[in-house]
């Protein structure tokens, strides 16, 4: 063999060895083995959702109240600002997803977005709760719209990669459902923090529940903690599932969109998630008005929100075994149906805060099965996407899911705001008729949305086909590796 041939052989051998070494931050473990995901890594998925909800739940629960009672905007104008800003921002999610599917760095594909996006999200969350406070004048509305759009863009840049990280961590459907449960547990803890500490902190720092200074300092604390938690996710989570080759040919994105449009399981979960987050927006945003005006007791705000957050924590522990026992679609539909029935019970006991909170807690556990399961269901649709098209498109599919959460939250908050406008809500003059209207908005809007959720999830049929889909994906990869 000549020296040139020998050098070429050595270079080829070295390249082959290097190709087997994962980039920094990636694990050389089997993505099909659930044991590969360690305890610290599982815990990171709970921490990530605590961080997300220090932004998301704070905005969902308090931004409309902040606009109407601190910035002094009318409910109708606030509803329009939130709806338009949220929908515009939602269409940024697919761009993040496409960029994510084309990202390759020494830290992996999704993790760099957590490292660099977290500080930006923290700063913009803080700025969203500052205001000129001039009511319906142009500077107040313009500032509110601009900051709300920007914080939504930053949230997309962090949350789309964070959501896709589950599909990149493991291919095992059972482990994904466990991780989804841990994510929901983190959601519950985040809601508990927001519901328990926000109003007391605002009042303690600023002297009243509508203090601008109190809002600014409290949100600043939440933002800083959120950044630190997202950095822990970056440090602890590993990306194991290899990416499908990304092509940059003309028309590749259009083909991915066409393939996505044909992914019926994904569409069913997308529509369901839009409705789930619309219901979430009504419940978390309406709780403040319900406590203050329907119950006449501002001190009930943390109790009602705590009942809701505890339902998320308990639901995160119960969802996986219940769905495994009854089947995913059947359990979700049954839970929603029972939560609708309990709406009448909530009305009967709404004047008794303790009794109401207990029934409210149970209803939200039952109605929240699908909320807990949705990220895992989306991760399963990634396998369906690869089986049909040869491309995983995790970024695009989870961008669609993130988009659904924003559109849903926008719809829910806007419906609540317009409902308040319809009943003549004026924080300076709340009548008995207005208080009754708040009660009916808080009870009937979520129940109506739950009916639509049942219709949406009825179209999800992937569960029984998933084993054969996963086998087809493994066979295709093995065939490609042997070529």
């Amino acid at each position: 063999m000549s020296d040139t041939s020998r050098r070429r052989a050595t270079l080829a051998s070295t390249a082959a060895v290097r190709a087997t070494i994962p980039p920094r931050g990636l694990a050389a473990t089997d993505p099909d083995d659930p044991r590969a995901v360690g305890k610290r890594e599982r815990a990171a998925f709970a921490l990530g959702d605590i961080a997300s909800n220090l932004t998301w739940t704070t905005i969902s629960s308090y931004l409309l109240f902040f606009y109407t009672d601190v910035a002094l905007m009318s409910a109708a104008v606030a509803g329009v600002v939130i709806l338009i800003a949220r929908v515009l921002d939602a269409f940024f999610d697919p761009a993040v997803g496409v960029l994510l599917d084309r990202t390759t760095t020494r830290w992996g594909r999704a993790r760099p977005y957590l490292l660099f996006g977290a500080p930006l999200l923290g700063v913009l969350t803080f700025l969203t709760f500052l205001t000129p406070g001039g009511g319906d004048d142009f500077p107040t509305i313009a500032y509110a719209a601009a900051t709300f759009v920007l914080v939504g863009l930053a949230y997309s840049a962090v949350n789309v990669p964070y959501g896709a990280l589950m599909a990149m961590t493991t291919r095992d459907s059972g482990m994904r459902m466990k991780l989804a449960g841990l994510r929901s547990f983190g959601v519950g803890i985040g809601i508990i923090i927001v519901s328990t500490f926000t109003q007391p902190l605002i009042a303690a720092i600023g002297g009243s529940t509508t203090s601008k200074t109190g809002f600014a300092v409290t949100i600043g604390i939440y933002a800083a903690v959120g950044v630190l938690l997202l950095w822990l996710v970056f440090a602890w989570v590993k990306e194991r599932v290899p990416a499908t080759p990304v092509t940059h040919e003309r028309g590749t994105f259009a083909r991915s969109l066409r393939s996505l449009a044909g992914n019926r399981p994904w569409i069913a979960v997308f529509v369901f998630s839009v409705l789930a987050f619309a219901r979430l927006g009504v419940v978390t945003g309406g709780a403040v008005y319900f406590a203050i005006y329907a119950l006449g007791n501002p001190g009930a705000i943390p109790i009602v929100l705590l009942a809701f957050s505890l339902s998320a924590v308990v639901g995160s522990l119960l969802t996986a075994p219940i769905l495994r026992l009854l089947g995913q679609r059947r359990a979700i539909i049954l839970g929603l149906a029972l939560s609708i029935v309990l709406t009448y019970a909530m009305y009967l006991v709404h004047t008794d805060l303790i009794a109401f909170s207990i029934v409210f807690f149970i209803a939200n556990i039952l109605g929240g099965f699908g909320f807990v399961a949705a990220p895992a269901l989306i991760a399963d649709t990634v396998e369906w996407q690869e089986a049909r098209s040869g491309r995983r498109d995790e970024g695009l599919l989870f961008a669609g899911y993130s988009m659904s959460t924003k559109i849903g939250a926008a719809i829910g908050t806007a419906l609540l705001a317009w409902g308040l406008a319809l009943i003549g809500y004026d924080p300076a003059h709340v009548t008995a008729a207005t208080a009754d209207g708040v009660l009916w908005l808080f009870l009937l809007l979520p129940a109506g949305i739950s009916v639509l959720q049942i219709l949406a999830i009825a179209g999800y049929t992937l569960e029984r086909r998933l084993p054969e889909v996963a086998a087809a994906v493994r066979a295709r990869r093995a065939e490609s590796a042997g070529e």
Side-chain angles (χ1 to χ4, degrees), residues 280-295:
L280 179 66
V282 172
V283 171
T284 55
V288 178
Y289 296 95
F290 170 75
I292 294 175
Y293 302 112
L295 300 182

Side-chain angles (χ1 to χ4, degrees), residues 77-442:
V77 170
V80 171
V81 168
I82 290 173
L83 179 63
I84 294 176
R86 200 54 119 177
V87 171
L88 287 175
D89 154 48
F91 284 97
F92 178 66
D93 287 14
V96 176
V98 171
L99 183 63
L100 174 62
D101 285 330
R102 287 157 174 74
T103 297
T104 303
T105 74
R106 62 180 178 139
W107 296 293
R109 299 165 56 208
R111 295 167 64 249
Y113 292 89
L114 306 183
L115 176 63
F116 299 109
L120 179 62
L121 177 60
V123 170
L124 288 169
T125 300
F126 172 71
L127 293 177
T128 300
F129 283 88
L130 300 180
T131 176
D136 286 343
D137 62 12
F138 178 76
T140 300
I141 295 173
Y143 182 87
T147 52
F148 193 34
V149 168
L150 289 173
V151 76
L153 297 182
Y155 186 81
S156 295
V158 171
N159 206 58
V160 170
Y162 170 62
L165 200 53
M166 183 188 297
M168 298 176 183
T169 299
T170 178
R171 276 200 294 251
D172 182 76
S173 182
M175 176 53 67
R176 285 173 176 172
M177 190 60 71
K178 290 179 182 178
L179 294 178
L182 286 166
R183 288 193 59 182
S184 184
F185 181 82
V187 169
I189 297 300
I191 296 174
I192 288 174
I193 293 170
V194 173
S195 61
T196 303
F197 295 108
T198 303
Q199 283 240 311
L201 278 174
I202 292 170
I205 294 168
S208 75
T209 57
T210 56
S211 165
K212 293 181 182 179
T213 301
F215 263 101
V217 175
T218 300
I219 303 306
I221 294 170
Y222 288 172
V225 172
V227 171
L228 294 176
L229 293 179
L230 287 169
W231 279 348
L232 286 178
V233 178
F234 164 81
W236 290 353
V237 175
K238 301 177 177 63
E239 299 177 23
R240 296 178 179 83
V241 179
T244 51
V246 175
T247 61
H248 298 278
E249 298 173 2
R250 191 172 184 176
T252 299
F253 178 54
R255 286 197 297 272
S256 292
L257 286 179
R258 285 195 297 270
S259 179
L260 181 61
N263 191 330
R264 292 185 180 180
W266 180 88
I267 291 173
V269 181
F270 174 84
V271 175
F272 177 85
S273 297
V274 169
L275 295 167
F277 278 86
R279 183 163 61 90
L280 179 66
V282 172
V283 171
T284 55
V288 178
Y289 296 95
F290 170 75
I292 294 175
Y293 302 112
L295 300 182
N297 180 12
I301 296 173
I303 296 174
V304 174
L305 286 176
L306 181 61
F308 179 76
S309 56
L310 288 175
S311 75
V313 172
V314 175
S316 70
L317 303 175
L318 296 178
T319 296
I322 290 176
L323 266 60
R324 189 164 54 247
L325 177 65
L326 300 178
Q328 294 171 349
R329 182 175 61 172
R330 185 182 298 111
I332 292 169
I333 291 175
L334 179 60
L336 285 167
L338 291 174
S339 73
I340 294 169
V341 172
L342 287 174
T343 299
Y344 181 63
M346 283 190 278
Y347 169 73
L348 292 178
V349 301
H350 77 272
T351 56
D352 184 332
L353 179 58
I354 300 303
F356 175 85
S357 298
I358 292 171
V359 179
F360 182 67
F361 166 76
I362 296 170
N364 280 287
I365 290 176
L366 296 168
F369 291 155
F371 181 82
V372 176
L377 300 183
I378 289 289
D380 288 344
T381 68
V382 173
E383 307 304 324
W384 178 249
Q385 181 82 349
E386 183 175 359
R388 294 178 67 253
S389 67
R391 294 174 52 84
R392 291 182 66 80
D393 291 323
E394 297 105 324
L396 186 59
L397 269 66
F398 273 93
Y401 172 67
S402 178
M403 184 178 179
S404 75
T405 67
K406 292 181 178 180
I407 293 174
I411 292 172
T413 306
L415 286 174
L416 177 62
W418 295 337
L420 291 171
L422 187 63
I423 63 176
Y425 172 76
D426 178 357
H429 182 64
V430 178
T431 64
T434 303
D436 286 342
V438 168
L439 170 65
W440 289 114
L441 283 174
F442 187 65

Side-chain angles (χ1 to χ4, degrees), residues 265 328 377 380-381 384 459-467 469:
Q328 294 171 349
L377 300 183
D380 288 344
T381 68
W384 178 249
Y460 181 82
T461 59
L462 178 59
E463 180 181 8
R464 67 176 183 269
R465 293 179 288 170
L466 191 58
V469 168

Side-chain angles (χ1 to χ4, degrees), residues 20-73:
T20 66
I21 301 175
R24 185 181 303 175
L26 304 186
T29 51
D30 185 0
D32 294 308
D33 186 355
R35 295 171 299 178
V37 185
K39 291 182 179 179
R40 188 174 72 170
E41 191 171 2
R42 298 180 197 184
F45 280 94
L47 296 180
D49 274 271
I50 293 173
S52 294
N53 279 275
L54 289 176
T55 294
W56 179 271
T57 301
T58 304
I59 288 175
S60 298
S61 300
Y62 286 99
L63 189 60
L64 179 59
F65 177 75
F66 178 81
Y67 283 167
T68 58
D69 289 48
V70 180
L72 304 178
M73 296 165 59

